[in-house]
Amino acid sequence: MTAIPWTVFVPELFLLGAALLIFLLDSVGFRWLEVFGGLATGGIVLALLAVLADLRFAPLAAFATVPANVVDAPWSQLGGSLVAVTSFGLVFQAIFLTSALLVSLSSLSRPTKEKGAAIFFGLLLFATLGMTLAALSADLIFLLLSIEITGISTYLLVGYTRRDPRGLEAAMKFYIIGALSAALSFFGASLLYAAYGTTSLYALGTTVVYLGHPPLDGATSIALLGYAFLIVGIGFKVTAVPFQAWAVDVYDGAPSDVSAFLAGGSKKVGLFGYFLVFLVPILFAGRLATAPPACPVGLCVTLHPDFGVPLQVIFGVMAIVTMTVGNVLALQQSEMKRMLAYSSISQAGYMLIGLAVATSPAIAGALLQIFAHVFMKAGAFLVVGAVAGLGIGSKIEDWKGVGLRYPYLGLSFAVMLLSLAGVPLTVGFVSKFVLFSAAVQAQGWFVWLAVAGLLNSALSVFYYARVLRVMYMERPEPRSAALPSGAVLGGSEPPLLALGGIGYGRAIAIGIAVVAIFAFGVYPQVVLSTFQNAANHLLQAL
Amino acid sequence: MLPILSLTLATLLIGTVATFFAGPRAKYVAAAVSGVFLAEIAAMFLMFSWPGIGVGPTHFAESETYAWIHVAWLHVNYTVGIDGISLILILLTGILQAVTVAYSWNETRQPGAWFGLVLLTCLGCFGVFVALDVLLFFVFWEVVLVPMFFLIGYWGGPRRRYAALKFFIYTHVASVTMLVALLVTAFYSHSPSLDFAGLQGSAATLAVPTQVILFLSLFFGFGVKFPIVPFHTWLPDAHVEAPTGGSVLLAGLLLKLGAYGLIRWGLEILPNGIAHAAPVLYAVAFASIVWGAGVSLAQRDLKRLVAYSSINHMGIVLLAIALDTSLGLLAAVLLMFAHGIVSALLFMVSGSVHHTFGSRDLASVNGITPTAPTLSTMTMAGALASLGLPALISFPAEFTALLATWDKLGYWVLIPLFTLVVTAAFYIWMMQRLLFGPPKGIPADAHDLPYAEAVAMGVLVILTVVYGILPNLLVHWITLSPVAGLP
């Protein structure tokens, strides 16, 4: 048995400390947005550095807080431990913290006297805390509780301004759906406990596979029902079709920074949950299964009686449906944020390919896709927030000429959209290339997942290209060019290089995203090898 | 050894960026970049023929490799290299870039963007011709699409947005198919890397039916660019709406990408595929040849006529490739070069006719020779070259192609032979109407060619004659190629 030292919680302690400090200052009447933002950003940066140290990145490895033998220890020796440290989880923590960092940096540029700054940053930290905790879990209840910490914090984040009725409506919708999703997940967990008397993910996953051969006994059928509830419950968090309907209204109604966090962060925690809950049964079924018969270029689907293969088919179909529905609906949107929300749904479909294929290359590809999505989608929502702050409407039509009038924002947005569309030399291209290559490499029917993904990314080019055309090829109407008098930047002339106009924090966050998109797009070797190691170790540990 | 290929890529990249930001002075930057590019091509020719450098039976001359993305299951390298085939096509790229810059010397709408996009297109084509890794090849392949989309969509004719989108959809779907087929080839055959050499070595281990399916997918992917009947409909639209410079690059270079891709990534990687799929290719090639020639006969728009005759000519290229003999490959490369030069000339002619006389309609503009003798000379040179007059560049190419077809297919050669007569017919008819008829539809202020356009076309006419009389200048390099199957 591997003992888990308390030091695995060092990143979480940084986040918790910063959050408590913010609430303490707020309660004694201290209201200074920059300090709150600075505290939050500082806490997140420290947590991120701690995670990177645990991932053993060269200059930081000396500060690693988790002993090397604990990381990626085999799960069969965990005993009843609630937590396990995997490099896979650490990578997810790094991704969560990166998206939180972008959002908190950008939120430094909020109006200084805004009410509720402490609430905003505190909740952001708590949501991040829930996500990083989830990434440590080895137990179903621990996982679901951590996801709920994130959930409750994000329901509040969506509606925290209390001024915008659309934000309140979105928060209410988010809350109700979130409660439903949690109820379904916990009910599924209770069914699993009833069937096998444990909530350990490893024990559950292996048991259901060993007992899952037909004919079904009573316990296994209850367990299968439990897994079905989990697919639905966590599916809401992932925004997988058909559980996606809430996401568009919520992303649209929430403040843009929060939308960035939801798309970049909290959705990924659901994906992590999917991976953690369902990888064990899939892998064990794969190890039990005999070698599939030869099959020319994946023209046939081989089904095994084991539980794992139907799971892969479920996730494969879910992936294809999610990416297609997201893309087709995105084509029809006239609101910028709704378009981005649907595009975010379709990206979730790509990520699910990793779970359906469930080989270490595919998991690495999915990680890369999740990582890329932080910069592309969170960055895009941040730009939308900045543009809204300049007094430009929320419809795509209102963005006429934005690319020419605000070169920095326009160019950044163009880069993010091109990356989402998967144009070469951006991280979005590399992630799709690796993910689809991994699906092809797995052979069999997985090739069709790659084909579906490629056709979808070809389809998605159209709605991204349309935005580019509006931004660069059409002239603004005189009315929409006027800035409202009380706008954030105060001045009346739109600055040519609109850095100062959107605030330095926001400009820096957007800049980081753009640089990351290009840097990891041209030279993905560092992150890809890290992700590949994480995936390999995960498969060995399980 | 001098990394000449990477150096050239770097020159073009820096040149493109500089041109974008040069504003009104963009044309001088673009001209300088074209000059350097041509000098570097000359260096490539020198190094290629230098004794003892890389010209062996199995290796690419001038190849460079650096690791790019390496994990256990995926080895992507930056690998570039050239052989005789790519060398000739690079020469074509250099020539067409220079003459396009010269022809559009007086471009006034957004000159920085115009010349930058022209250079970017040529950069992408050059990259496609030198890339020897699936991912690198695909990156350049896609790089070509974007500038052409904007060239058509911004500087094009009245239906430019429709044409640009159609071009984009057709070619994008095709490239996706191509990428999947290449990845399947690599991963199903457990290729050690995504390099050309790796694929070539491992693809033979695949089952023959799989190879045929993959080859046909690749054929679809590359064929749309050719274009092959029935996926050719984007081409007339794109050409008619494209600005002249765009048409020149489209016909001269972009169509060659498909043919080059089919040779390099289809023929050489899946030899069993072509061996079994050849009848399909023959059928498509004959259909394209006949369809292109027949539809050309019915065109009244000069540019549309040239566009359809491109379909006919590229059909002959496809036929020559499908023969899968050394003579056929030689003919295909010669034809590509010849068509690149001649179609560029003819598209320049139709562009000049359009903006000199306000129309390209062969029924309403007649007898231009007295008004514009230089333009008329260029038109005649282009038309004669295109119909295959001896001593002009197309003749040796078409003759080789017919000879190769006779060798392999016997009397089927009558089909392309007959369409050559049709081609001659519509070109002679065109010259008769446009050049020699009684003057009609000539505006009062019509003038002869501007200096820049005359220079651009003149260079192409000279090349047509030089390579027509001395085809060995090309044949020598192509047959030096270490590509398996060439004599």
Side-chain angles (χ1 to χ4, degrees):
Chain A
M1 248 203 67
T2 322
I4 308 284
W6 67 271
T7 47
V8 301
F9 294 115
V10 165
E12 286 75 11
L13 289 177
F14 281 129
L15 296 174
L16 189 64
L20 291 180
L21 204 55
I22 287 174
F23 285 135
L24 189 72
L25 286 174
D26 189 51
S27 66
V28 298
F30 183 88
R31 301 257 144 72
W32 196 359
L33 178 128
E34 275 84 357
V35 172
F36 294 149
L39 273 173
T41 311
I44 293 170
V45 168
L46 284 176
L48 184 58
L49 290 177
V51 170
L52 292 180
D54 288 340
L55 274 171
R56 304 289 192 281
F57 270 102
L60 292 168
F63 301 99
T65 52
V66 185
N69 67 329
V70 173
V71 181
D72 295 319
W75 281 37
S76 51
Q77 293 165 27
L78 278 177
S81 171
L82 294 181
V83 296
V85 189
T86 56
S87 355
F88 182 72
L90 289 174
V91 164
F92 260 96
Q93 286 189 336
I95 291 173
F96 295 148
L97 289 166
T98 311
S99 73
L101 177 63
L102 289 181
V103 173
S104 90
L105 259 180
S106 156
S107 299
L108 280 172
S109 304
R110 298 180 152 270
T112 325
K113 295 297 167 202
E114 190 183 78
K115 274 188 186 171
I119 298 180
F120 176 83
F121 286 111
L123 287 176
L124 181 67
L125 287 171
F126 266 111
T128 316
L129 175 67
M131 299 196 292
T132 50
L133 279 176
L136 288 175
S137 42
D139 183 280
L140 187 54
I141 300 299
F142 188 87
L143 174 75
L144 294 178
L145 281 176
S146 311
I147 293 181
E148 265 323 280
I149 296 179
T150 312
I152 292 171
S153 316
T154 45
Y155 309 148
L156 292 170
L157 270 177
V158 169
Y160 87 101
T161 51
R162 279 181 290 171
R163 275 170 298 167
D164 181 8
R166 295 209 316 148
L168 278 182
E169 189 196 326
M172 207 57 215
K173 203 173 270 180
F174 193 18
Y175 171 68
I176 291 171
I177 294 289
L180 175 67
S181 131
L184 291 173
S185 308
F186 278 105
F187 187 57
S190 65
L191 286 178
L192 284 176
Y193 184 74
Y196 296 139
T198 174
T199 53
S200 151
L201 288 168
Y202 184 80
L204 284 175
T206 49
T207 317
V208 73
V209 169
Y210 283 125
L211 301 181
H213 293 282
L216 289 175
D217 58 1
T220 311
S221 39
I222 292 178
L224 291 184
L225 195 62
Y227 273 113
F229 273 106
L230 281 173
I231 290 182
V232 178
I234 303 179
F236 277 108
K237 301 281 176 196
V238 182
T239 69
V241 175
F243 318 116
Q244 88 294 358
W246 62 275
V248 179
D249 292 336
V250 171
Y251 289 10
D252 186 29
S256 291
D257 290 359
V258 178
S259 310
F261 187 66
L262 292 180
S266 81
K267 157 197 279 211
K268 314 292 167 53
V269 81
L271 270 164
F272 181 80
Y274 258 177
F275 271 99
L276 222 50
V277 175
F278 293 106
L279 259 185
V280 180
I282 289 176
L283 289 177
F284 268 81
R287 283 171 205 170
L288 289 181
T290 47
C295 204
V297 204
L299 291 173
C300 47
V301 174
T302 328
L303 287 181
H304 288 275
D306 301 298
F307 180 45
V309 179
L311 267 184
Q312 284 176 288
V313 174
I314 288 174
F315 287 119
V317 170
M318 197 188 259
I320 293 180
V321 172
T322 303
M323 64 177 98
T324 312
V325 168
N327 270 328
V328 169
L329 292 179
L331 276 174
Q332 305 165 354
Q333 299 308 311
S334 58
E335 294 264 339
M336 190 64 86
K337 279 173 86 176
R338 294 184 82 84
M339 187 275 278
L340 287 177
Y342 276 114
S343 123
S344 176
I345 290 171
S346 74
Q347 301 275 335
Y350 301 138
M351 297 165 197
L352 283 174
I353 290 179
L355 184 54
V357 177
T359 59
S360 78
I363 295 172
L367 280 177
L368 193 59
Q369 177 70 24
I370 292 169
F371 177 73
H373 193 245
V374 170
F375 299 110
M376 313 188 287
K377 190 51 63 60
F381 273 117
L382 293 184
V383 175
V384 170
V387 170
L390 293 168
I392 290 164
S394 61
K395 287 196 178 306
I396 295 178
E397 289 299 298
D398 299 333
W399 282 53
K400 281 179 182 168
V402 163
L404 301 171
R405 288 176 55 216
Y406 305 101
Y408 181 72
L409 290 178
L411 213 56
S412 309
F413 202 58
V415 168
M416 286 153 190
L417 291 184
L418 288 176
S419 178
L420 281 168
V423 170
L425 302 183
T426 61
V427 70
F429 170 74
V430 174
S431 64
K432 282 194 187 112
F433 176 78
V434 173
L435 184 58
F436 299 156
S437 296
V440 174
Q441 193 250 5
Q443 307 200 0
W445 61 277
F446 302 122
V447 175
W448 296 106
L449 292 178
V451 172
L454 278 162
L455 288 179
N456 262 290
S457 57
L459 180 67
S460 70
V461 169
F462 297 117
Y463 54 86
Y464 299 125
R466 194 182 58 181
V467 175
L468 290 185
R469 204 183 76 187
V470 169
M471 273 182 7
Y472 282 101
M473 295 185 188
E474 291 176 20
R475 301 207 154 274
E477 287 146 26
R479 274 178 63 87
S480 72
L483 287 164
S485 53
V488 185
L489 69 163
S492 57
E493 274 285 298
L496 195 64
L497 222 165
L499 262 182
I502 57 171
Y504 288 106
R506 200 178 284 272
I508 290 170
I510 293 171
I512 290 177
V514 171
V515 170
I517 286 173
F518 274 125
F520 297 124
V522 174
Y523 196 71
Q525 179 64 38
V526 181
V527 282
L528 184 58
S529 59
T530 308
F531 292 173
Q532 187 63 60
N533 284 337
N536 291 344
H537 289 144
L538 180 73
L539 294 197
Q540 283 160 15
L542 287 181
Chain B
M1 195 170 68
L2 188 64
I4 184 78
L5 300 177
S6 302
L7 201 67
T8 312
L9 270 177
T11 321
L12 287 175
L13 190 62
I14 295 166
T16 304
V17 174
T19 311
F20 265 112
F21 290 104
R25 285 181 300 280
K27 56 185 176 183
Y28 301 107
V29 182
V33 174
S34 305
V36 176
F37 186 26
L38 284 173
E40 280 162 336
I41 293 173
M44 281 174 219
F45 270 91
L46 263 181
M47 294 177 75
F48 204 80
S49 60
W50 209 262
I53 295 186
V55 186
T58 53
H59 290 96
F60 279 85
E62 304 299 325
S63 130
E64 300 161 34
T65 294
Y66 307 97
W68 188 8
I69 305 171
H70 270 216
V71 284
W73 58 281
L74 181 70
H75 286 259
V76 179
N77 297 316
Y78 167 89
T79 305
V80 291
I82 50 173
D83 63 359
I85 296 176
S86 24
L87 187 65
I88 293 301
L89 292 172
I90 290 168
L91 175 66
L92 182 66
T93 312
I95 293 171
L96 289 187
Q97 175 178 326
V99 294
T100 307
V101 169
Y103 184 86
S104 44
W105 196 251
N106 301 320
E107 181 66 52
T108 48
R109 286 180 65 197
Q110 303 273 3
W114 167 266
F115 287 104
L117 290 172
V118 167
L119 292 198
L120 189 57
T121 311
C122 295
L123 164 73
C125 292
F126 176 73
V128 166
F129 294 140
V130 297
L132 288 179
D133 177 279
V134 172
L135 182 61
L136 193 66
F137 176 76
F138 186 74
V139 166
F140 285 121
W141 186 270
E142 291 286 287
V143 161
V144 176
L145 272 190
V146 179
M148 189 47 75
F149 174 74
F150 282 105
L151 283 176
I152 299 174
Y154 189 84
W155 286 270
R159 286 165 69 241
R160 58 180 183 274
R161 281 193 187 140
Y162 167 77
L165 204 63
K166 192 169 177 183
F167 163 77
F168 203 88
I169 296 172
Y170 268 71
T171 44
H172 194 70
V173 170
S175 14
V176 164
T177 316
M178 172 201 85
L179 182 63
V180 174
L182 285 176
L183 289 180
V184 168
T185 311
F187 287 117
Y188 273 63
S189 66
H190 303 286
S191 165
S193 71
L194 293 186
D195 270 11
F196 174 79
L199 250 67
Q200 199 181 22
S202 69
T205 61
L206 290 171
V208 173
T210 315
Q211 289 195 43
V212 175
I213 294 174
L214 288 172
F215 181 81
L216 286 176
S217 322
L218 282 177
F219 173 55
F220 168 75
F222 292 122
V224 170
K225 270 244 164 84
F226 252 88
I228 53 171
V229 172
F231 305 110
H232 65 284
T233 58
W234 64 268
L235 180 108
D237 284 317
H239 268 308
V240 170
E241 299 307 322
T244 305
S247 286
V248 167
L249 296 180
L250 197 56
L253 288 178
L254 265 66
L255 304 190
K256 309 301 173 290
L257 298 183
Y260 171 81
L262 190 63
I263 296 177
R264 175 73 74 237
W265 298 95
L267 215 58
E268 293 188 22
I269 289 200
L270 296 164
N272 282 323
I274 174 102
H276 289 83
V280 180
L281 269 68
Y282 293 144
V284 173
F286 286 137
S288 302
I289 292 170
V290 172
W291 183 261
V295 177
S296 300
L297 266 181
Q299 298 307 315
R300 279 168 39 136
D301 182 330
L302 178 55
K303 209 168 179 186
R304 221 168 234 283
L305 185 150
V306 181
Y308 275 109
S309 85
S310 286
I311 297 178
N312 165 273
H313 282 120
M314 292 309 289
I316 304 181
V317 173
L318 176 60
L319 177 64
I321 294 174
L323 295 173
D324 193 25
T325 60
S326 48
L327 196 61
L329 268 186
L330 172 66
V333 181
L334 280 177
L335 271 171
M336 281 195 257
F337 188 83
H339 179 257
I341 300 284
V342 174
S343 67
L345 178 57
L346 283 172
F347 277 114
M348 285 182 182
V349 162
S350 55
S352 295
V353 166
H354 183 71
H355 59 77
T356 310
F357 302 103
S359 167
R360 298 184 301 248
D361 187 9
L362 293 173
S364 56
V365 180
N366 281 338
I368 64 168
T369 311
T371 328
T374 321
L375 175 58
S376 172
T377 312
M378 303 296 182
T379 313
M380 195 154 163
L384 290 178
S386 191
L387 63 81
L389 193 76
L392 295 179
I393 187 166
S394 297
F395 175 74
E398 283 179 2
F399 185 76
T400 321
L402 294 176
L403 203 60
T405 313
W406 167 252
D407 274 353
K408 181 90 181 252
L409 296 181
Y411 285 104
W412 287 99
V413 76
L414 290 176
I415 295 181
L417 205 56
F418 174 70
T419 63
L420 285 187
V421 179
V422 177
T423 316
F426 66 71
Y427 273 118
I428 291 172
W429 173 81
M430 182 271 278
M431 285 191 284
Q432 200 181 19
R433 302 287 290 276
L434 184 66
L435 305 183
F436 306 123
K440 176 180 159 195
I442 311 280
D445 59 342
H447 52 86
D448 207 355
L449 283 184
Y451 192 61
E453 298 181 7
V455 167
M457 290 188 214
V459 169
L460 291 178
V461 170
I462 292 170
L463 288 172
T464 308
V465 175
V466 169
Y467 284 118
I469 296 172
L470 299 170
N472 196 38
L473 287 180
L474 298 170
V475 175
H476 170 70
W477 300 101
I478 300 171
T479 49
L480 257 190
S481 162
V483 173
L486 277 180

